[in-house]
Amino acid sequence: MMFTQDLRYAFRQLRRNPGFAFTAILTLALGIGATTAVFSVVEQMLLTQLPYRDADRIVALETFFTDKQHLHPRVTGGDYQDMSNDPAFAAVAYYDGGQMGVQLPDHATFTQIDAVSPQFADVFGVHPLSGALFRKGDASHQALVSEAFADAELGGVTAAVGKLVSVESESYQVVGVMPRGFDFPQKTSVWLGTSATPDNVNRNSYNYHAVARLRDGFNVEQAQLRLHALSVRLATQFPVDHAHADLRAVPLRDALTGGVRTSLWLWLGAVGVLLLIACANVAHLQLVRISAQDQALAVRGALGATRARIVGSVLLEAAMVSLLGGTAGLLLSLPSTRLLMHILASQLPRNMSATPDPRLLGFCLLLATVVTVLSAALPCWWAARRDPAAALSRGTRSSSTDRGTALWRRGLLALEIALSFLLVTTSGLLLRTLQHIHETPLGFASENRLVVYAHAPARGLEQMQKRVVELAQLTDQLRALPGVQSAAQTMGLPAGQYGSNGFYSIPSKGQNMQQAGLAHSNFSLAGPGYFKAMQIPLLQGRDVIASDTYRSQPVAVISASLARQSFGNSSPLGQQIICGLDEDSMRGATIVGVVGDVRQDSPADDPTPALYMPLAQHPYLANEVQIVLRTAAAPATLIPAVRQRTLAADASIATRFTTMDDALAAAIQPQQLRSQLLTAFAALALLLAAVGMYSVTSYTVAQQVREIGIRMALGADRATVAREVMASAAKSGLLGIGLGVLVSLEASRVLSRFLVGVPALDPVSYGAAACVLVTAAALAALIPARRAASTEPMVALRTE
């Protein structure tokens, strides 16, 4: 009965104060909605098991280099053979692939293709929707396709089985169609069967990704101990290649999410801070309102209400606000989660479900409970310590406020501002990083560059050489199209999907490819005119030319940083260089030119040494190229003409299109997303802090109406009153900024890993954050200050 009465009383109080109720509920809805949306992504990526049978028993086999403290996601062919025989594993498979062309009876298309060993499906415990899995032992000339690929390209799930697809001029029979939810490793559409043993079984070429299923009776820790023992034996057996290599078994979920794990925790931490700001905001809104009800609470106490019941009513009101805020937050989180998943789809390692998870309801209820405790603790404590007799004896004419309560309110406001400063500073640092990336010279031109990925199927040296000629002719035809100013081929375009890297040796320095400690660089192939088309400056010597053919003397062009790395101040022209890019490169190449450095993988990366070799001299890698077209108009407008010309030249050539600007944008998308999300959270934090500043200042002015009236009657002018109100607000703001600086200094150590070209203690970001917070606080306090300055003395003196 008493609970029902208190519930009705709390409801009436909220209905009588719609401004407070709306502000508090909206504040909590924003905090809980944002937190739930980010938690939904984190939960699916980091906490939910992968959608495979006994997914916790699947591991990725990787190599940890102890000298560099670097975990490499690949293994050598020889190491794979040793691990595949280990009794800790029930099934082991290797795979490798990428975006390639697949030839169908009447057309070719680009898609994700992976070559996989026969036990691949056994590792994941997956069964086909239609057809069968690979033959054991040797799965050559067999293929599995995804359900989506079967529907789009092969006439459906049932019709696809038995049909032929061609990749690199090799025919594969489709033996099975995989279920729609299975697309490992990289949203794959076609899995090509290969032999159980890798082609390359040496100990220094890390060519293969590998996965394994643990045998019953073994866990990850036990498997890791066995792999470590194997690594020790291999280090003794192969002292050069295996000196610093330690084989690792990593839970597959951890291996997949390793690249995004830190960003996800950063976002979750940011929304956690936002939720704390919301709690502090609601806490001091409730404290302000309960303080204004001092007399009403005192009357209730005088009429017999116990202290526990008064505190209970305050807690019940806070719970109602939290429950309503949590409900609104849950409703807000549903579209927010879908939007967030859409934004992050390209950056996350696996697909996510946008279907509302019942666990989100439980999470929101948990948040509402936590919010109730956090936001109601201080108001309940204040209500519990009130002396009804003292409150009644003060009457309503007292102009002074409870100093203790005022200190708590200002303390909560300072906490809000400090946490807001943390988010604004973090956002500023990430935005400054993005600005630095955009302003840093790339070493090449990206404007008006259309990029054509072209894959011409070929197998064997004769076919490869033929394709080199045909792709060169196609490039000449595209160069002649209206609106095309220049065109050139490459394999290894900056920010592109092709490319290689590895060690190289300089014979004149007594180096060979079998020794340890060799220098490292990026490897790219270039056609004639590539450096001119990309406006990469030629610093010494000459460019790749048409006479650099497979039968001519091998040549190479190196970057300025590689020249400094290996030749110092000496001229590298005429020197020999050897790398392991393909089987023909081991004969060595003569350096004929030096070009400027470029940022190869991403504009966020520093320029690294680069080695460029003619496409025609490396035909085994030259049938899958990027053709760069420098255009006079918007690059996308030429796509229809380029596609039509390519089809006319050879319908078996698979193509897809992008622009250099789009490729660069995709390369820095992680930094872009981090800065955008943190900026959104910082903007919400600023809004909540401004609401807090406004409510505290407004309440203070309302409580001091009689005092202000007396001072103005005694001669104080309106400007002085306004300045004092603004100064009081400024004290809370400066205190909050001071606390925020201390918190941000501690957080800078975590944030430093996300920064490029900007120090974690960047004075510009800290100064900008302080200016933003001061401006927001000043604007929030301006209206109450003007209200105080416009007080009429006689009206104020008559105020009860």
Side-chain angles (χ1 to χ4, degrees), residues 635-647:
T637 60
L638 273 78
I639 291 178
V642 173
R643 181 182 287 113
Q644 183 178 3
R645 183 60 58 89
T646 304
L647 285 173

Side-chain angles (χ1 to χ4, degrees), residues 392-727:
L392 288 172
S393 66
R394 283 199 302 266
T396 60
R397 289 184 173 271
S398 174
S399 62
S400 63
T401 59
D402 186 322
R403 290 185 178 274
T405 306
L407 287 175
W408 276 111
R409 291 198 308 270
R410 296 193 184 283
L412 286 170
L413 179 58
L415 176 63
E416 285 186 61
I417 293 175
L419 295 175
S420 299
F421 183 88
L422 171 62
L423 289 183
V424 173
T425 303
T426 301
S427 170
L429 288 169
L430 294 177
L431 287 173
R432 289 264 292 157
T433 290
L434 203 59
Q435 179 187 20
H436 171 81
I437 291 172
H438 283 303
E439 293 177 352
T440 301
L442 299 172
F444 58 88
S446 63
E447 299 82 5
N448 289 342
R449 262 68 176 184
L450 177 65
V451 179
V452 186
Y453 282 80
H455 180 205
R459 181 170 293 273
L461 178 60
E462 184 177 348
Q463 281 192 23
M464 293 287 185
Q465 289 180 306
K466 181 181 178 182
R467 286 302 195 180
V468 168
V469 174
E470 291 174 353
L471 287 172
Q473 293 173 345
L474 174 62
T475 303
D476 292 338
Q477 295 176 28
L478 297 180
R479 189 182 297 117
L481 289 175
V484 176
Q485 297 176 331
S486 62
Q489 298 177 79
T490 184
M491 193 286 289
L493 189 70
Q497 292 189 356
Y498 301 157
S500 183
N501 60 73
F503 300 106
Y504 66 89
S505 64
I506 308 296
S508 63
K509 296 181 178 291
Q511 299 174 354
N512 61 74
M513 291 301 294
Q514 282 69 47
Q515 72 186 72
L518 294 175
H520 188 275
S521 81
N522 287 313
F523 301 149
S524 296
L525 302 181
Y530 168 68
F531 300 114
K532 182 178 180 181
M534 291 296 293
Q535 293 184 4
I536 299 173
L538 181 65
L539 305 179
Q540 297 181 49
R542 68 170 177 87
D543 196 345
V544 174
I545 56 179
S547 60
D548 293 325
T549 64
Y550 184 71
R551 301 300 178 188
S552 66
Q553 170 62 37
V555 298
V557 176
I558 63 175
S559 68
S561 58
L562 190 150
R564 291 191 299 270
Q565 175 175 272
S566 294
F567 301 100
N569 295 325
S570 303
S571 173
L573 299 182
Q575 294 279 352
Q576 291 287 303
I577 188 169
I578 300 175
C579 74
L581 181 64
D582 64 23
E583 59 189 65
D584 295 316
S585 63
M586 300 300 290
R587 52 182 172 163
T590 302
I591 299 173
V592 297
V594 180
V595 295
D597 292 327
V598 302
R599 298 178 187 272
Q600 179 66 27
D601 294 329
S602 167
D605 296 334
D606 292 330
T608 53
L611 175 61
Y612 302 91
M613 292 159 283
L615 275 162
Q617 293 186 344
H618 298 267
Y620 287 103
L621 299 172
N623 69 315
E624 193 169 0
V625 299
Q626 296 142 317
I627 303 174
V628 182
L629 306 180
R630 183 182 177 187
T631 65
T637 60
L638 273 78
I639 291 178
V642 173
R643 181 182 287 113
Q644 183 178 3
R645 183 60 58 89
T646 304
L647 285 173
D650 189 340
S652 71
I653 298 178
T655 58
R656 63 184 180 87
F657 301 87
T658 186
T659 67
M660 276 305 304
D661 287 337
D662 288 343
L664 292 173
I668 62 171
Q669 196 171 28
Q671 291 87 353
Q672 186 91 33
L673 287 174
R674 277 197 292 267
S675 64
Q676 288 175 344
L677 287 177
L678 264 296
T679 300
F681 297 152
L684 283 175
L686 270 178
L687 175 63
L688 297 180
V691 170
M693 175 65 76
Y694 173 80
S695 62
V696 167
T697 308
S698 294
Y699 175 76
T700 302
V701 169
Q703 291 295 97
Q704 295 178 344
V705 168
R706 282 178 57 79
E707 182 180 329
I708 292 172
I710 292 172
R711 294 186 59 216
M712 295 183 71
L714 294 175
D717 59 31
R718 300 181 186 277
T720 300
V721 171
R723 279 198 302 271
E724 290 180 350
V725 172
M726 294 291 289

Side-chain angles (χ1 to χ4, degrees), residues 3 23 64 68 71-72 116 122 137 192 304 360 397 495 508 512 555 572 609 623 663 675 732 737 764:
F3 176 78
T23 303
F64 183 74
K68 301 177 182 178
L71 185 64
H72 188 53
V116 300
D122 296 334
L192 303 179
L360 288 185
R397 289 184 173 271
S508 63
N512 61 74
V555 298
N623 69 315
S675 64
S732 296
I737 290 174
V764 175

